[in-house]
Amino acid sequence: MSNFSYTVLIPLIPVFVFLFIGLLGHKMKPIVSGIIGTVGLGISAVLSYITAYSYFFNTEKIDGAFQKILAFNTVWLQFTDKLHVDMGVLLDPISVMMLIVVTTVSFMVHIYSLGYMKGEKGFARFYAFLSLFSFSMLGLVLATNIFQMYIFWELVGVSSFLLIGFYYEKPSAVSASKKAFIVTRFADLGFLIGILILSFNTGTFDFISLTTVNGAAMATGGGIAFLGLSTMTWSLIFVFMGGAGKSAMFPLHIWLPDAMEGPTPVSALIHAATMVVAGVYLVARLFPVYALSAPDGLTVVAYVGSFSSLFAAVIACTQMDIKRVLAYSTMSQIGYMMVGLGVSGYGGHDGLGFMASMFHLFTHAMFKALLFLGAGAIIHAVHSNVMNEMGGLRKYLPITHITFLIACLTIAGIPFLSAFFSKDEILSAAFHHNKLIFFVQLFVAGLTAFYMFRLYFRVFWNKEPHYHHTPHEAPLTMTIPLIFLAIASIFTGYIPFSQLVTSDGMAFEAHIEWMNVAIPSIVVGLIGIGVAFVMYKKESELPDRMASGLKLIYVGAFNKFYFDEIYLFVTKKIIFNYISRPVAWFDRHIVDGFMNSIAWITNYVSFKIRGFQSGQVQQYAFVFVSGAILLGVIFIYLFSN
Amino acid sequence: MNAGIPLVYFLVTATLMFFVGVYGFMTRKNMITILMSVELMLNAVNINFLAFNRFLFPGQLEGHFFALFIIAVAAAEAAVAIAIIINIYRHFHNIDVEQADEMKY
Amino acid sequence: MTGNQIMFIIFSAIIIIFSILTVTSRRILRAATYLLFVLISTAGMYFMLNYEFLAAVQLTLYAGGIVVLIIFSILLTSHIEEKFETPALMKRVYAAIASIIGAILVCTTLLNYTFTPGTETAKDVNMNLIGNSLISWGEQGYALPFELISILLLAAMIAVIVVAKKVKTK
């Protein structure tokens, strides 16, 4: 078996880069810090590829299954013999796959940002935060135990907060970063509760012992039932709540569209390819526990995922800001992954959904990063996010146009591009498991094709608005990642995931179900593209007429079904008025009042007696002598007998 | 030489001298006169020490040496005090103790 | 009445009267002179207690040194012919009350207490004994306080120079 201890360097290099740039970034030229960050991450990426190669092809399988390898482990916090928090590196198929995803996308984003962020204030800061994020994400991916994962989970949240609020002089960016942080933090509360219940029940934080099939941990799982579900199920639902927060699942999705206030490369890295799939990864990490001891939890995952994907897809059809369209698209695709996990069983061919979900995660990371980076190139060219101010850009941005088209075709599920394979496998898993979810997802596939091509036609074709200056193609540092990711989007579909990343580590044969699944999904996709083509290829009144025809849905979707407003109403009108105000009143008047009155009394008395400190030495002497005489009297006459 | 004079007489004399010094310390405004009052008090204490030594412990020397050291300390104290007084005089152009109250409150 | 007693009465009368004059005189130079008389009478007291060396020290150091120092500083800081205003009445009353009560308290305590005189044979405190005591240690040795006092005097000397030195103004 090969020695994997070098993998600990993969997260450590970015953290050193972060410290280096963070501390010394202002002393060097911005471009130098950018190059240092990029090179550091490049080394991590190379190490990840080596790791993946040797893990998948040079490591012995036991009983035909990939083993979980503890490449590095150290006790970090020892509370008692049993309760200790470890830090380490765990290698198994999904973590190795995630390593590839994270380092690849992050590396591409690093290169891309060299061009995109050029001349921005805080260039070095940007690279420091990117490195911090990469470190946190890699630490999360490689976590050996659920507590380490939680720590890095929060670190990821912090770096996401920092990066969304990168333009901290812009009020909208500040409030978006706050919103993202608070919403995910709220979700993480659920995660923490889940962790506590789970480890209380099973007595371990460790992933390996948690997920051992028929192991001690799972056997203790049943436990007491509460509201008809076992404690194990409840804890996993809570854990999923954390995952839903990070992955922007309904109803905790509201932060993701606002997070687009951050610089576009950040959106590509964090809010498309890596951080938002952390929730999926979390469920996948605990998948054996879900599948074997809490199948009800998985049902929740499936329905939440399915609803989120539909919900987000509908909203995406109406949004005018290209980054927001992509944000909702991300949410929708993550919903797909959740569905994949939710409809999966454990082991062998039953684990098709798991495999498909991971597959989709992988391909999605590539094409979604490509879409975001492409959007970044467009924004870079026209200095606007809004679709109305774009059109006919294919002439000016040829490379961006081609790569963007490839990404759109991929996400629409056109055959023989990567997402075709991964999405179809999710659909076929759903088909065999739950027909309702299958049809919803099929419809979502059509909507996906529609809104992506709406975006595509609107931006690259349609009527050309009046540009202040002629848009120009992005520099080489930005187009190279685009091209690389476009190639990845086309060909990653041919990676034999069913041989590599499966629920129990065993390879199985997956095949495309043409009749039941593939043909309908292709047809739906083509219909979506066709509708978009008719409506948006040229400027026409069709979209407006459609909008007025479906007024209710359109207005609802355009306003994101008023979810922000509902949350605002609940928080501002109900929680603030009926909980926060009385608490604030109590705090201000009773608690503060008590403290203030103590302070006031002290102050008052001090002012009254400050005359003693008159500076008149003779007065002091008088008081001193009188006191001495008094004490003399007391001791001689009162205490003598 | 001390035959026929009881100890208490020395002590009463010293006591009166001491409290006159206290009175002076409390009433005088000029810092140099306050210093004089302090010297009075120190001398009263010295008389006490010596009287006790002579009457109660004639075979020992503690009181005597204590008085000696008090004289040395008093000399040092007087020197330092006068230096400070001169400095205050430079600063305020008088040596009224009631006006040197900038550190109050 | 023996000569001793007459001497004692004279000395104590001088001490008390001139003490009071010292703290009440309205001319500062006179106050200093009265203080000189008090100090000299105190030296007389020491003589009466058979501490000749200390009496000599008292005369040279106090009468000769400190009073001269005080007079110097008076000349530096005051107009000699200037008369002090009498201090405020209330201040005098308070101070007098405190002092008199204190004096009465101490005197009554003293008079009510019976002292048991020491029975050991009196030591002849001559220069030889004092010198040896000052540089020896152990029983009846005072080398340590002697050294301390020497350091104190050195420190005082330096401090006086530092404090009294004129601050250079640029």
Side-chain angles (χ1 to χ4, degrees):
Chain A
M1 199 190 273
S2 359
N3 182 7
F4 283 110
S5 54
Y6 63 86
T7 47
V8 74
L9 284 175
I10 296 174
L12 282 184
I13 291 171
V15 77
F16 285 129
V17 170
F18 160 67
L19 291 174
F20 185 71
I21 301 179
L23 292 174
L24 300 173
H26 60 284
K27 294 236 171 83
M28 44 195 169
K29 278 189 178 167
I31 191 71
V32 177
S33 54
I35 287 170
I36 290 172
T38 312
V39 169
L41 213 93
I43 296 169
S44 281
V46 170
L47 286 177
S48 306
Y49 285 117
I50 295 170
T51 311
Y53 178 77
S54 50
Y55 182 81
F56 283 122
F57 301 113
N58 278 347
T59 306
E60 274 177 60
K61 297 182 188 178
I62 296 171
D63 298 336
F66 286 108
Q67 292 303 301
K68 294 186 166 69
I69 297 173
L70 205 55
F72 175 82
N73 199 28
T74 173
V75 177
W76 183 60
L77 270 182
Q78 177 101 41
F79 293 108
T80 62
D81 286 344
K82 214 174 161 194
L83 180 65
H84 53 88
V85 179
D86 296 358
M87 285 282 160
V89 172
L90 174 68
L91 295 179
D92 72 345
I94 55 173
S95 72
V96 172
M97 180 208 79
M98 281 298 284
L99 270 187
I100 301 286
V101 171
V102 173
T103 53
T104 307
V105 176
S106 185
F107 185 51
M108 288 301 131
V109 167
H110 272 76
I111 296 175
Y112 180 88
S113 304
L114 287 175
Y116 186 85
M117 299 298 287
K118 196 171 190 170
E120 293 272 0
K121 212 172 78 184
F123 190 84
R125 181 164 57 96
F126 181 77
Y127 270 91
F129 289 163
L130 272 190
S131 297
L132 175 65
F133 172 78
S134 307
F135 158 68
S136 325
M137 193 66 207
L138 290 168
L140 191 160
V141 165
L142 294 172
T144 56
N145 60 72
I146 200 160
F147 219 92
Q148 184 190 352
M149 195 172 192
Y150 183 70
I151 291 167
F152 282 101
W153 187 270
E154 295 297 346
L155 268 176
V156 166
V158 168
S159 35
S160 158
F161 167 81
L162 292 171
L163 284 165
I164 296 171
F166 180 74
Y167 298 120
Y168 57 84
E169 284 163 356
K170 216 164 85 183
S172 59
V174 173
S175 60
S177 62
K178 267 195 298 195
K179 188 172 178 180
F181 193 67
I182 292 169
V183 173
T184 51
R185 198 62 203 78
F186 175 72
D188 294 346
L189 181 66
F191 186 17
L192 184 59
I193 295 172
I195 291 175
L196 295 178
I197 302 177
L198 187 65
S199 10
F200 179 75
N201 261 357
T202 57
T204 177
F205 288 131
D206 194 53
F207 280 134
I208 293 181
S209 38
L210 267 177
T211 56
T212 309
V213 178
N214 300 326
M218 251 179 241
T220 57
I224 321 123
F226 176 69
L227 287 183
L229 297 174
S230 68
T231 32
M232 197 69 159
T233 312
W234 277 110
S235 71
L236 289 171
I237 288 174
F238 274 121
V239 168
F240 173 65
M241 178 178 160
K246 271 277 184 292
S247 290
M249 287 292 98
F250 178 86
L252 297 167
H253 63 277
I254 52 163
W255 64 272
L256 185 60
D258 289 25
M260 295 302 137
E261 289 292 343
T264 311
V266 169
S267 310
L269 175 60
I270 300 185
H271 308 118
T274 53
M275 185 186 89
V276 286
V277 297
V280 180
Y281 180 72
L282 174 64
V283 176
R285 188 32 96 223
L286 293 172
F287 186 73
V289 193
Y290 273 98
L292 297 177
S293 75
D296 293 335
L298 271 190
T299 314
V300 172
V301 172
Y303 279 105
V304 169
S306 177
F307 184 76
S308 301
S309 71
L310 176 63
F311 178 82
V314 171
I315 295 178
C317 292
T318 61
Q319 294 300 306
M320 293 309 288
D321 181 324
I322 57 173
K323 280 179 77 182
R324 281 181 187 243
V325 173
L326 293 178
Y328 281 108
S329 156
T330 304
M331 181 179 158
S332 170
Q333 296 300 312
I334 292 168
Y336 257 103
M337 297 171 208
M338 289 291 187
V339 166
L341 289 173
V343 298
S344 178
Y346 184 78
H349 200 274
D350 285 343
L352 176 67
F354 178 89
M355 182 282 280
S357 172
M358 291 298 105
F359 195 7
H360 197 57
L361 192 161
F362 192 81
T363 57
H364 171 257
M366 300 303 161
F367 67 72
K368 189 50 67 69
L370 172 57
L371 282 170
F372 266 104
L373 295 183
I378 296 164
I379 293 166
H380 192 69
V382 302
H383 301 290
S384 167
N385 286 7
V386 187
M387 265 187 234
N388 285 342
E389 294 173 22
M390 300 168 188
L393 282 173
R394 67 185 184 286
K395 280 174 279 181
Y396 305 107
L397 307 172
I399 299 172
T400 312
H401 171 225
I402 299 293
T403 50
F404 205 85
L405 176 62
I406 291 170
C408 287
L409 289 171
T410 310
I411 194 174
I414 296 305
F416 312 117
L417 296 172
S418 61
F420 167 72
F421 298 102
S422 53
K423 196 186 266 187
D424 277 7
E425 265 147 24
I426 291 179
L427 286 174
S428 60
F431 182 76
H432 292 293
H433 192 272
N434 187 329
K435 288 284 189 296
L436 172 66
I437 289 181
F438 168 73
F439 284 114
V440 170
Q441 294 316 112
L442 199 59
F443 179 58
V444 171
L447 279 180
T448 308
F450 169 72
Y451 66 69
M452 283 321 298
F453 274 88
R454 166 176 177 265
L455 177 65
Y456 168 73
F457 284 123
R458 195 74 185 67
V459 170
F460 289 102
W461 299 77
N462 214 311
K463 195 181 120 222
E464 203 172 307
H466 174 70
Y467 292 116
H468 292 296
H469 55 89
T470 320
H472 54 87
E473 183 57 279
L476 210 58
T477 46
M478 289 166 69
T479 48
I480 286 174
L482 290 180
I483 295 166
F484 179 87
L485 286 171
I487 294 168
S489 301
I490 298 171
F491 293 109
T492 46
Y494 297 101
I495 296 174
F497 257 66
S498 59
Q499 307 294 318
L500 302 175
V501 183
T502 52
S503 54
D504 55 356
M506 309 266 213
F508 66 92
E509 286 303 319
H511 44 82
I512 297 169
E513 293 184 59
W514 286 101
M515 272 323 288
N516 292 335
V517 180
I519 303 282
S521 97
I522 296 168
V523 168
V524 165
L526 287 175
I527 292 172
I529 296 173
V531 173
F533 178 81
V534 172
M535 284 168 73
Y536 296 102
K537 168 82 189 337
K538 293 215 171 62
E539 195 187 22
S540 71
E541 291 175 355
L542 256 168
D544 291 337
R545 266 193 280 154
M546 277 280 282
S548 52
L550 295 167
K551 196 159 196 279
L552 202 64
I553 296 176
Y554 180 79
V555 173
F558 186 75
N559 291 308
K560 304 154 212 163
F561 292 108
Y562 300 101
F563 258 91
D564 282 326
E565 283 75 8
I566 291 170
Y567 280 115
L568 277 184
F569 178 78
V570 169
T571 51
K572 282 212 169 130
K573 289 276 153 59
I574 297 174
I575 295 179
F576 283 9
N577 271 348
Y578 296 102
I579 297 173
S580 306
R581 282 240 173 106
V583 171
W585 184 89
F586 182 82
D587 186 60
R588 208 163 289 147
H589 291 89
I590 310 292
V591 179
D592 283 9
F594 181 67
M595 292 302 161
N596 283 343
S597 60
I598 287 177
W600 182 84
I601 289 168
T602 312
N603 197 19
Y604 180 80
V605 173
S606 310
F607 264 95
K608 286 289 158 196
I609 63 172
R610 73 171 185 175
F612 289 131
Q613 287 289 330
S614 60
Q616 300 298 330
V617 184
Q618 294 171 323
Q619 218 171 44
Y620 301 167
F622 174 72
V623 174
F624 167 68
V625 170
S626 314
I629 290 169
L630 196 68
L631 284 178
V633 170
I634 289 170
F635 283 120
I636 293 168
Y637 292 105
L638 297 183
F639 288 104
S640 55
N641 302 317
Chain B
M1 264 177 91
N2 59 343
I5 308 165
L7 168 64
V8 170
Y9 286 18
F10 284 97
L11 299 182
V12 170
T13 311
T15 306
L16 294 177
M17 191 177 169
F18 182 85
F19 279 99
V20 170
V22 169
Y23 173 82
F25 190 91
M26 286 192 228
T27 51
R28 288 298 213 174
K29 283 170 101 177
N30 189 302
M31 285 185 195
I32 292 175
T33 49
I34 289 175
L35 181 63
M36 291 181 204
S37 309
V38 173
E39 299 297 347
L40 280 181
M41 290 192 258
L42 284 168
N43 269 285
V45 171
N46 268 357
I47 292 175
N48 252 11
F49 272 117
L50 291 173
F52 277 128
N53 194 356
R54 174 57 68 205
F55 283 91
L56 302 187
F57 307 99
Q60 292 169 18
L61 283 175
E62 268 88 4
H64 177 266
F65 276 102
F66 224 106
L68 192 62
F69 292 134
I70 287 174
I71 292 172
V73 171
E77 169 247 297
V80 174
I82 283 169
I84 291 172
I85 288 169
I86 288 175
N87 229 354
I88 288 174
Y89 181 74
R90 278 201 203 121
H91 199 258
F92 294 103
H93 295 289
N94 67 52
I95 46 171
D96 189 336
V97 72
E98 286 177 359
Q99 288 183 25
D101 62 352
E102 296 207 336
M103 304 257 282
K104 71 177 176 180
Y105 304 155
Chain C
M1 201 181 276
T2 63
N4 260 346
Q5 284 165 327
I6 295 169
M7 290 280 280
F8 179 79
I9 289 168
I10 293 171
F11 280 141
S12 50
I14 293 176
I15 285 179
I16 291 165
I17 291 166
F18 282 103
S19 294
I20 293 169
L21 284 175
T22 306
V23 299
T24 52
S25 163
R26 290 168 64 199
R27 288 178 188 272
I28 187 164
L29 207 53
R30 286 189 192 174
T33 318
Y34 299 144
L35 178 67
L36 182 62
F37 293 150
V38 175
L39 296 177
I40 291 170
S41 310
T42 314
M45 284 287 202
Y46 297 171
F47 271 117
M48 296 198 64
L49 289 165
N50 284 1
Y51 289 118
E52 292 85 5
F53 174 72
L54 213 58
V57 168
Q58 170 85 3
L59 280 177
T60 52
L61 218 146
Y62 256 114
I66 293 179
V67 171
V68 169
L69 194 62
I70 287 174
I71 289 173
F72 259 136
S73 54
I74 289 170
L75 296 178
L76 275 173
T77 57
S78 311
H79 301 288
I80 302 164
E81 62 273 21
E82 187 195 13
K83 276 174 120 182
F84 296 140
E85 350 162 354
T86 40
L89 180 69
M90 288 316 287
K91 201 171 167 184
R92 275 188 292 165
V93 170
Y94 281 131
I97 289 173
S99 313
I100 289 167
I101 290 178
I104 290 171
L105 177 73
V106 175
C107 287
T108 47
T109 315
L110 285 176
L111 293 171
N112 287 335
Y113 187 82
T114 32
F115 292 97
T116 45
T119 50
E120 52 213 307
T121 46
K123 251 187 191 157
D124 180 25
V125 189
N126 55 25
M127 290 296 288
N128 203 354
L129 178 65
I130 294 170
N132 277 325
S133 293
L134 277 180
I135 56 166
S136 62
W137 55 88
E139 193 77 9
Q140 300 291 323
Y142 297 92
L144 180 66
F146 183 67
E147 291 301 323
L148 277 178
I149 286 292
S150 67
I151 291 171
L152 175 76
L153 286 172
L154 178 68
M157 208 156 71
I158 296 169
V160 165
I161 294 169
V162 171
V163 170
K165 204 171 64 177
K166 263 210 171 99
V167 182
K168 272 182 194 163
T169 44
K170 282 176 190 170

